[in-house]
Amino acid sequence: MNRLLEAELIYGRLLPIREPHLVARYNKALIAFGLPASKLTEFDIDITGFSPQVAAELGDPDYLDPLKVNRRFIILTPEQDSLPVVHTSFSNTAGLMHEFFSANARAIHAITLRDTLYGEIEDSVSEVKTLDDLLSINEVTFKVLSAEDLLGKAGQLRQLCDALVTSPDAWRDDAMLERMVSLAKETGDIRQNTLVPDKLVFRHDAFWADHFGGVFVFVDEKITTVVCDPEAPGFRRSRPWQVSYISIHDAAQVGDFLARTGRLELPRASWVESSGLFAHRLEMALLSVAASLDPVPDLTRIDAVWMQTFLHRNAKAINERGVYPLLQEAQRILARTGNLRMADIDPELRLWLVRAEPSHPDQWLTNRLIAHLTGEDFVSRFVFDKQGFYRAYERYPEPYRDYVVSRLSQTYLKDKPAFRKRLYGLGDNHA
């Protein structure tokens, strides 16, 4: 993984924590979680407070994600709101954190001037043993504490203020007044600074979960659809009256579901030609064949001539996979007619010709599922399915790893919003 670290393709764009008082506050949160304090004097964190350096020190990448549910968080600064999530078991962790920051911006800003917020994103289950456990999560509650108990002290001061107003003799209580002055020195003027987060409960709708090999949950008005491995406990048995189940190995059925529910943008010349998505996937199809050869051919100077030569030399292997000739033919038909009849396409390969409907709320989740089922497109997989990308990367031959890192660094990382907009039609609403 060293190449990925050096290229900032893993644990990139994190916030450095160097100040001793922030390190000390972070350690108080760790201790409150029942974990040992870190001996590190500096480390980096993501939006949830996860630190790869602390994870390595503890020997536990799930130290903020025990049992892969009820995610813990540590908030040292409002700046964390601009950071990505780099380790999570749910695809909507980042969205929930952003919602929490947005809904409670004033309180977070005021509290983190003097203290650290920490806690858990609690839901209705403590452990995921079956699909029914995942399906029972409809909303989450942020259980919030503070390392220096600033929240508790603000609550005490509020109670004393209320007593001062409602009790006619309270102003004669010198001990109470002294306590109020002492608390106010720590909390500041709570009439001006909101120190208690206002919104703590958030919806938990469509999501991906890193359980049972990966579970995709799509929520429509009358039915919920689960896409996962049929071996997952509870498949077709959990809530069968309200849940439809699709095997993640059945690309044809997955494609039919996504198209039928309006989650796919079907191929039309108007967006295919301007996006360059088919040209991109043609190249990915060739490169996936190159990665399967022994030895892997020289990938340091790939251009049109190289690709044409490789195509001629490896025509049999390329045609057997079917993706490259399908994309070529699709491009020809679109150039001639402007449209493509999906009924004429092999159902198992249709996902290579589509992208998520950019206007659909589930655009990122849909693209994640497409990327999972068209895994040879390592660029799309990195953009939408980083956990799957990292696992696939471990299986790549050494020369291909070099090329993959170089390709992502020179394309996607150069301008991520522009890249996503061009290829996938997506606005800049993700890190």
Side-chain angles (χ1 to χ4, degrees):
M1 288 285 179
N2 286 338
R3 287 189 200 84
L4 297 177
L5 284 167
E6 291 168 5
E8 295 192 342
L9 291 169
I10 188 172
Y11 303 146
R13 288 184 54 245
L14 300 187
L15 180 68
I17 300 300
R18 305 285 183 266
E19 298 85 350
H21 72 283
L22 292 181
V23 174
R25 290 178 186 174
Y26 191 91
N27 279 329
K28 286 187 177 181
L30 288 180
I31 291 168
F33 286 138
L35 298 169
S38 171
K39 295 182 174 62
L40 301 174
T41 56
E42 55 183 61
F43 47 84
D44 303 318
I45 61 172
D46 73 357
I47 187 174
T48 69
F50 170 83
S51 168
Q53 296 93 340
V54 173
E57 180 189 24
L58 296 176
D60 181 11
D62 292 323
Y63 76 102
L64 290 186
D65 202 15
L67 301 178
K68 296 185 181 296
V69 70
N70 294 324
R71 175 60 184 259
R72 295 169 173 172
F73 59 86
I74 301 173
I75 300 175
L76 298 175
T77 166
E79 293 178 55
Q80 285 172 238
D81 189 25
S82 64
L83 304 178
V85 168
V86 297
H87 184 83
T88 181
S89 297
F90 286 87
S91 61
N92 55 0
T93 299
L96 290 169
M97 289 298 298
H98 286 307
E99 282 190 74
F100 178 76
F101 272 94
S102 177
N104 302 290
R106 285 185 62 198
I108 292 169
H109 180 78
I111 293 167
T112 53
L113 289 173
R114 307 178 184 85
D115 203 350
T116 293
L117 289 172
Y118 70 92
E120 291 185 351
I121 306 176
E122 290 191 331
D123 49 50
S124 54
V125 298
S126 58
E127 188 175 358
V128 175
K129 295 180 178 178
T130 71
L131 290 176
D132 198 58
D133 294 326
L134 289 176
L135 292 168
S136 69
I137 304 173
N138 297 315
E139 64 181 25
V140 299
T141 301
F142 278 72
K143 180 182 178 183
V144 186
L145 302 168
S146 57
E148 304 290 346
D149 195 30
L150 197 58
L151 287 177
K153 291 170 183 174
Q156 289 179 43
L157 183 55
R158 173 64 64 195
Q159 287 181 329
L160 294 175
C161 287
D162 291 343
L164 190 64
V165 172
T166 57
S167 175
D169 296 322
W171 63 274
R172 302 176 191 269
D173 188 337
D174 290 341
M176 187 183 89
L177 295 176
E178 288 175 9
R179 177 61 178 158
M180 290 176 69
V181 171
S182 174
L183 288 170
K185 286 179 180 178
E186 295 185 69
T187 66
D189 188 345
I190 60 172
R191 296 171 302 174
Q192 303 297 322
N193 296 323
T194 302
L195 288 179
V196 180
D198 294 320
K199 186 176 180 184
L200 300 175
V201 180
F202 300 88
R203 288 288 304 167
H204 189 288
D205 293 319
F207 63 92
W208 164 88
D210 192 17
H211 299 80
F212 317 125
V215 178
F216 293 80
V217 178
F218 295 90
V219 181
D220 292 297
E221 187 177 351
K222 295 182 178 179
I223 194 163
T224 295
T225 301
V226 172
V227 181
C228 67
D229 191 314
E231 296 301 313
F235 188 84
R236 292 207 175 102
R237 294 190 302 279
S238 296
R239 310 183 185 205
W241 62 91
Q242 64 178 186
V243 179
S244 172
Y245 292 88
I246 300 174
S247 167
I248 202 164
H249 308 303
D250 189 343
Q253 194 176 357
V254 169
D256 178 66
F257 158 72
L258 294 175
R260 181 167 31 84
T261 55
R263 290 180 167 89
L264 291 186
E265 186 166 33
L266 300 176
R268 296 188 311 276
S270 55
W271 70 262
V272 169
E273 292 172 0
S274 61
S275 71
L277 184 61
F278 280 18
H280 164 78
R281 285 181 172 162
L282 276 165
E283 192 173 350
M284 291 291 105
L286 281 188
L287 289 169
S288 68
V289 175
S292 69
L293 300 178
D294 188 16
V296 174
D298 182 10
L299 302 174
T300 56
R301 295 185 63 183
I302 293 180
D303 55 22
V305 174
W306 183 96
M307 292 179 67
Q308 197 63 34
T309 303
F310 182 81
L311 180 60
H312 289 316
R313 290 178 178 172
N314 300 277
K316 185 173 184 294
I318 291 166
N319 288 326
E320 282 177 352
R321 296 201 180 192
V323 174
Y324 189 91
L326 167 70
L327 286 163
Q328 273 197 319
E329 179 64 15
Q331 275 192 321
R332 283 193 289 268
I333 295 172
L334 285 174
R336 191 173 67 248
T337 69
N339 288 290
L340 199 61
R341 269 177 48 86
M342 294 299 280
D344 297 336
I345 307 298
D346 181 349
E348 295 296 325
L349 299 178
R350 286 174 187 167
L351 290 177
W352 281 94
L353 303 174
V354 297
R355 65 185 186 183
E357 169 55 53
S359 63
H360 197 285
D362 293 341
Q363 53 184 270
W364 280 82
L365 184 64
T366 300
N367 273 322
R368 185 185 197 117
L369 181 51
I370 294 170
H372 177 87
L373 293 172
T374 57
E376 294 92 336
D377 180 356
F378 66 80
V379 174
S380 295
R381 194 138 200 211
F382 180 79
V383 175
F384 298 108
D385 179 25
K386 284 187 174 57
Q387 287 87 346
F389 168 84
Y390 295 136
R391 289 163 186 157
Y393 178 87
E394 287 295 300
R395 300 190 295 271
Y396 291 158
E398 202 69 15
Y400 198 54
R401 290 184 189 178
D402 280 334
Y403 175 76
V404 166
V405 169
S406 174
R407 175 66 176 263
L408 290 171
S409 299
Q410 293 171 19
T411 56
Y412 181 55
L413 292 193
K414 290 288 186 182
D415 190 341
K416 293 190 283 186
F419 189 94
R420 293 191 294 254
K421 179 66 177 175
R422 180 173 64 87
L423 251 66
Y424 312 107
L426 301 184
D428 188 25
N429 60 347
H430 253 250

